[in-house]
mmCIF file of all heavy atoms in Angstrom:
data_model
loop_
_atom_site.group_PDB
_atom_site.id
_atom_site.type_symbol
_atom_site.label_atom_id
_atom_site.label_comp_id
_atom_site.label_asym_id
_atom_site.label_seq_id
_atom_site.Cartn_x
_atom_site.Cartn_y
_atom_site.Cartn_z
ATOM 1 N N ALA H 1 0.828 -1.214 0.000
ATOM 2 C CA ALA H 1 0.000 0.000 0.000
ATOM 3 C C ALA H 1 0.856 1.256 0.000
ATOM 4 O O ALA H 1 0.580 2.223 -0.724
ATOM 5 C CB ALA H 1 -0.933 -0.014 1.211
ATOM 6 N N ILE H 2 1.909 1.253 0.802
ATOM 7 C CA ILE H 2 2.810 2.411 0.871
ATOM 8 C C ILE H 2 3.485 2.638 -0.482
ATOM 9 O O ILE H 2 3.605 3.772 -0.956
ATOM 10 C CB ILE H 2 3.862 2.194 1.979
ATOM 11 C CG1 ILE H 2 3.197 2.265 3.361
ATOM 12 C CG2 ILE H 2 4.987 3.230 1.882
ATOM 13 C CD1 ILE H 2 4.089 1.809 4.494
ATOM 14 N N LYS H 3 3.893 1.559 -1.103
ATOM 15 C CA LYS H 3 4.616 1.632 -2.379
ATOM 16 C C LYS H 3 3.780 2.262 -3.485
ATOM 17 O O LYS H 3 4.287 3.006 -4.328
ATOM 18 C CB LYS H 3 5.035 0.208 -2.779
ATOM 19 C CG LYS H 3 5.835 0.088 -4.065
ATOM 20 C CD LYS H 3 6.195 -1.372 -4.283
ATOM 21 C CE LYS H 3 7.013 -1.570 -5.539
ATOM 22 N NZ LYS H 3 7.352 -2.997 -5.761
ATOM 23 N N PHE H 4 2.454 1.988 -3.456
ATOM 24 C CA PHE H 4 1.605 2.420 -4.567
ATOM 25 C C PHE H 4 0.698 3.600 -4.225
ATOM 26 O O PHE H 4 -0.254 3.875 -4.955
ATOM 27 C CB PHE H 4 0.757 1.243 -5.059
ATOM 28 C CG PHE H 4 1.554 0.190 -5.762
ATOM 29 C CD1 PHE H 4 1.874 -1.002 -5.130
ATOM 30 C CD2 PHE H 4 2.011 0.392 -7.052
ATOM 31 C CE1 PHE H 4 2.618 -1.966 -5.768
ATOM 32 C CE2 PHE H 4 2.762 -0.563 -7.713
ATOM 33 C CZ PHE H 4 3.074 -1.754 -7.067
ATOM 34 N N THR H 5 0.981 4.283 -3.114
ATOM 35 C CA THR H 5 0.179 5.446 -2.737
ATOM 36 C C THR H 5 1.033 6.708 -2.784
ATOM 37 O O THR H 5 2.125 6.743 -2.210
ATOM 38 C CB THR H 5 -0.415 5.264 -1.322
ATOM 39 O OG1 THR H 5 -1.171 4.048 -1.285
ATOM 40 C CG2 THR H 5 -1.322 6.425 -0.957
ATOM 41 N N GLU H 6 0.542 7.719 -3.459
ATOM 42 C CA GLU H 6 1.294 8.962 -3.610
ATOM 43 C C GLU H 6 1.292 9.755 -2.306
ATOM 44 O O GLU H 6 0.378 9.618 -1.484
ATOM 45 C CB GLU H 6 0.679 9.807 -4.728
ATOM 46 C CG GLU H 6 0.753 9.181 -6.113
ATOM 47 C CD GLU H 6 2.192 8.992 -6.573
ATOM 48 O OE1 GLU H 6 3.050 9.807 -6.189
ATOM 49 O OE2 GLU H 6 2.450 8.028 -7.319
ATOM 50 N N PRO H 7 2.315 10.608 -2.099
ATOM 51 C CA PRO H 7 2.354 11.459 -0.903
ATOM 52 C C PRO H 7 1.050 12.226 -0.712
ATOM 53 O O PRO H 7 0.457 12.722 -1.673
ATOM 54 C CB PRO H 7 3.523 12.415 -1.211
ATOM 55 C CG PRO H 7 4.432 11.613 -2.108
ATOM 56 C CD PRO H 7 3.508 10.790 -2.960
ATOM 57 N N GLY H 8 0.613 12.288 0.554
ATOM 58 C CA GLY H 8 -0.651 12.927 0.859
ATOM 59 C C GLY H 8 -1.815 11.957 0.929
ATOM 60 O O GLY H 8 -2.914 12.333 1.349
ATOM 61 N N GLY H 9 -1.567 10.714 0.541
ATOM 62 C CA GLY H 9 -2.620 9.712 0.537
ATOM 63 C C GLY H 9 -2.847 9.096 1.907
ATOM 64 O O GLY H 9 -2.166 9.424 2.887
ATOM 65 N N GLU H 10 -3.819 8.194 1.971
ATOM 66 C CA GLU H 10 -4.179 7.554 3.230
ATOM 67 C C GLU H 10 -4.174 6.038 3.083
ATOM 68 O O GLU H 10 -4.512 5.508 2.024
ATOM 69 C CB GLU H 10 -5.569 8.000 3.695
ATOM 70 C CG GLU H 10 -5.680 9.470 4.037
ATOM 71 C CD GLU H 10 -7.077 9.840 4.493
ATOM 72 O OE1 GLU H 10 -7.998 9.008 4.341
ATOM 73 O OE2 GLU H 10 -7.255 10.968 4.996
ATOM 74 N N ILE H 11 -3.823 5.362 4.173
ATOM 75 C CA ILE H 11 -3.918 3.907 4.260
ATOM 76 C C ILE H 11 -4.728 3.604 5.516
ATOM 77 O O ILE H 11 -4.362 4.024 6.611
ATOM 78 C CB ILE H 11 -2.525 3.253 4.341
ATOM 79 C CG1 ILE H 11 -1.728 3.543 3.069
ATOM 80 C CG2 ILE H 11 -2.663 1.741 4.553
ATOM 81 C CD1 ILE H 11 -0.276 3.142 3.158
ATOM 82 N N THR H 12 -5.817 2.885 5.339
ATOM 83 C CA THR H 12 -6.714 2.583 6.453
ATOM 84 C C THR H 12 -6.692 1.098 6.748
ATOM 85 O O THR H 12 -6.902 0.274 5.846
ATOM 86 C CB THR H 12 -8.157 3.017 6.131
ATOM 87 O OG1 THR H 12 -8.163 4.410 5.804
ATOM 88 C CG2 THR H 12 -9.067 2.779 7.320
ATOM 89 N N VAL H 13 -6.428 0.756 8.005
ATOM 90 C CA VAL H 13 -6.408 -0.637 8.450
ATOM 91 C C VAL H 13 -7.599 -0.851 9.372
ATOM 92 O O VAL H 13 -7.755 -0.156 10.382
ATOM 93 C CB VAL H 13 -5.095 -0.971 9.185
ATOM 94 C CG1 VAL H 13 -5.072 -2.439 9.595
ATOM 95 C CG2 VAL H 13 -3.888 -0.650 8.304
ATOM 96 N N THR H 14 -8.449 -1.806 9.012
ATOM 97 C CA THR H 14 -9.694 -2.037 9.741
ATOM 98 C C THR H 14 -9.754 -3.477 10.232
ATOM 99 O O THR H 14 -9.393 -4.410 9.507
ATOM 100 C CB THR H 14 -10.910 -1.773 8.828
ATOM 101 O OG1 THR H 14 -10.811 -0.448 8.293
ATOM 102 C CG2 THR H 14 -12.210 -1.919 9.596
ATOM 103 N N GLY H 15 -10.212 -3.658 11.462
ATOM 104 C CA GLY H 15 -10.442 -4.988 12.008
ATOM 105 C C GLY H 15 -11.925 -5.223 12.188
ATOM 106 O O GLY H 15 -12.665 -4.321 12.583
ATOM 107 N N SER H 16 -12.385 -6.457 11.889
ATOM 108 C CA SER H 16 -13.808 -6.757 12.025
ATOM 109 C C SER H 16 -14.019 -8.265 12.112
ATOM 110 O O SER H 16 -13.102 -9.059 11.891
ATOM 111 C CB SER H 16 -14.596 -6.188 10.836
ATOM 112 O OG SER H 16 -14.127 -6.759 9.623
ATOM 113 N N ARG H 17 -15.252 -8.627 12.463
ATOM 114 C CA ARG H 17 -15.674 -10.023 12.460
ATOM 115 C C ARG H 17 -16.689 -10.225 11.352
ATOM 116 O O ARG H 17 -17.601 -9.423 11.186
ATOM 117 C CB ARG H 17 -16.323 -10.404 13.791
ATOM 118 C CG ARG H 17 -15.364 -10.632 14.938
ATOM 119 C CD ARG H 17 -16.135 -11.136 16.147
ATOM 120 N NE ARG H 17 -15.239 -11.457 17.249
ATOM 121 C CZ ARG H 17 -15.447 -12.453 18.095
ATOM 122 N NH1 ARG H 17 -16.515 -13.220 17.957
ATOM 123 N NH2 ARG H 17 -14.611 -12.683 19.085
ATOM 124 N N VAL H 18 -16.533 -11.326 10.613
ATOM 125 C CA VAL H 18 -17.510 -11.685 9.586
ATOM 126 C C VAL H 18 -17.877 -13.147 9.826
ATOM 127 O O VAL H 18 -17.126 -14.054 9.461
ATOM 128 C CB VAL H 18 -16.947 -11.490 8.163
ATOM 129 C CG1 VAL H 18 -18.001 -11.863 7.124
ATOM 130 C CG2 VAL H 18 -16.478 -10.064 7.950
ATOM 131 N N GLY H 19 -18.999 -13.371 10.466
ATOM 132 C CA GLY H 19 -19.367 -14.737 10.828
ATOM 133 C C GLY H 19 -18.352 -15.318 11.805
ATOM 134 O O GLY H 19 -18.085 -14.736 12.859
ATOM 135 N N GLN H 20 -17.775 -16.452 11.443
ATOM 136 C CA GLN H 20 -16.759 -17.104 12.273
ATOM 137 C C GLN H 20 -15.343 -16.767 11.803
ATOM 138 O O GLN H 20 -14.404 -17.499 12.104
ATOM 139 C CB GLN H 20 -16.970 -18.631 12.248
ATOM 140 C CG GLN H 20 -18.280 -19.071 12.865
ATOM 141 C CD GLN H 20 -18.421 -18.604 14.305
ATOM 142 O OE1 GLN H 20 -17.538 -18.814 15.123
ATOM 143 N NE2 GLN H 20 -19.539 -17.942 14.605
ATOM 144 N N GLN H 21 -15.215 -15.662 11.085
ATOM 145 C CA GLN H 21 -13.922 -15.249 10.556
ATOM 146 C C GLN H 21 -13.498 -13.915 11.159
ATOM 147 O O GLN H 21 -14.315 -13.013 11.357
ATOM 148 C CB GLN H 21 -13.984 -15.108 9.028
ATOM 149 C CG GLN H 21 -14.432 -16.352 8.285
ATOM 150 C CD GLN H 21 -13.359 -17.424 8.251
ATOM 151 O OE1 GLN H 21 -12.190 -17.129 8.063
ATOM 152 N NE2 GLN H 21 -13.767 -18.669 8.433
ATOM 153 N N ALA H 22 -12.204 -13.806 11.445
ATOM 154 C CA ALA H 22 -11.612 -12.520 11.809
ATOM 155 C C ALA H 22 -11.059 -11.892 10.534
ATOM 156 O O ALA H 22 -10.421 -12.568 9.732
ATOM 157 C CB ALA H 22 -10.500 -12.718 12.830
ATOM 158 N N MET H 23 -11.312 -10.598 10.337
ATOM 159 C CA MET H 23 -10.899 -9.945 9.094
ATOM 160 C C MET H 23 -10.039 -8.712 9.370
ATOM 161 O O MET H 23 -10.337 -7.926 10.268
ATOM 162 C CB MET H 23 -12.126 -9.528 8.267
ATOM 163 C CG MET H 23 -11.781 -8.767 6.999
ATOM 164 S SD MET H 23 -13.245 -8.250 6.044
ATOM 165 C CE MET H 23 -13.751 -9.831 5.368
ATOM 166 N N ILE H 24 -8.978 -8.585 8.587
ATOM 167 C CA ILE H 24 -8.170 -7.365 8.554
ATOM 168 C C ILE H 24 -8.233 -6.820 7.138
ATOM 169 O O ILE H 24 -7.938 -7.533 6.175
ATOM 170 C CB ILE H 24 -6.708 -7.637 8.944
ATOM 171 C CG1 ILE H 24 -6.603 -8.137 10.378
ATOM 172 C CG2 ILE H 24 -5.877 -6.356 8.762
ATOM 173 C CD1 ILE H 24 -7.051 -7.155 11.445
ATOM 174 N N THR H 25 -8.635 -5.563 7.016
ATOM 175 C CA THR H 25 -8.729 -4.914 5.709
ATOM 176 C C THR H 25 -7.708 -3.790 5.623
ATOM 177 O O THR H 25 -7.589 -2.985 6.546
ATOM 178 C CB THR H 25 -10.140 -4.326 5.500
ATOM 179 O OG1 THR H 25 -11.099 -5.365 5.635
ATOM 180 C CG2 THR H 25 -10.267 -3.703 4.123
#
């Protein structure tokens, strides 16, 4: 994400549950 994002951009990391799965986005 860092490599392909231009200066001034944002990277958002989200944690959540989806059913019986843990998710990182």
Side-chain angles (χ1 to χ4, degrees):
I2 290 169
K3 182 178 181 181
F4 290 103
T5 304
E6 296 297 328
E10 295 180 349
I11 297 170
T12 304
V13 182
T14 305
S16 60
R17 283 186 176 215
V18 181
Q20 296 303 309
Q21 303 286 319
M23 176 181 287
I24 297 296
T25 303

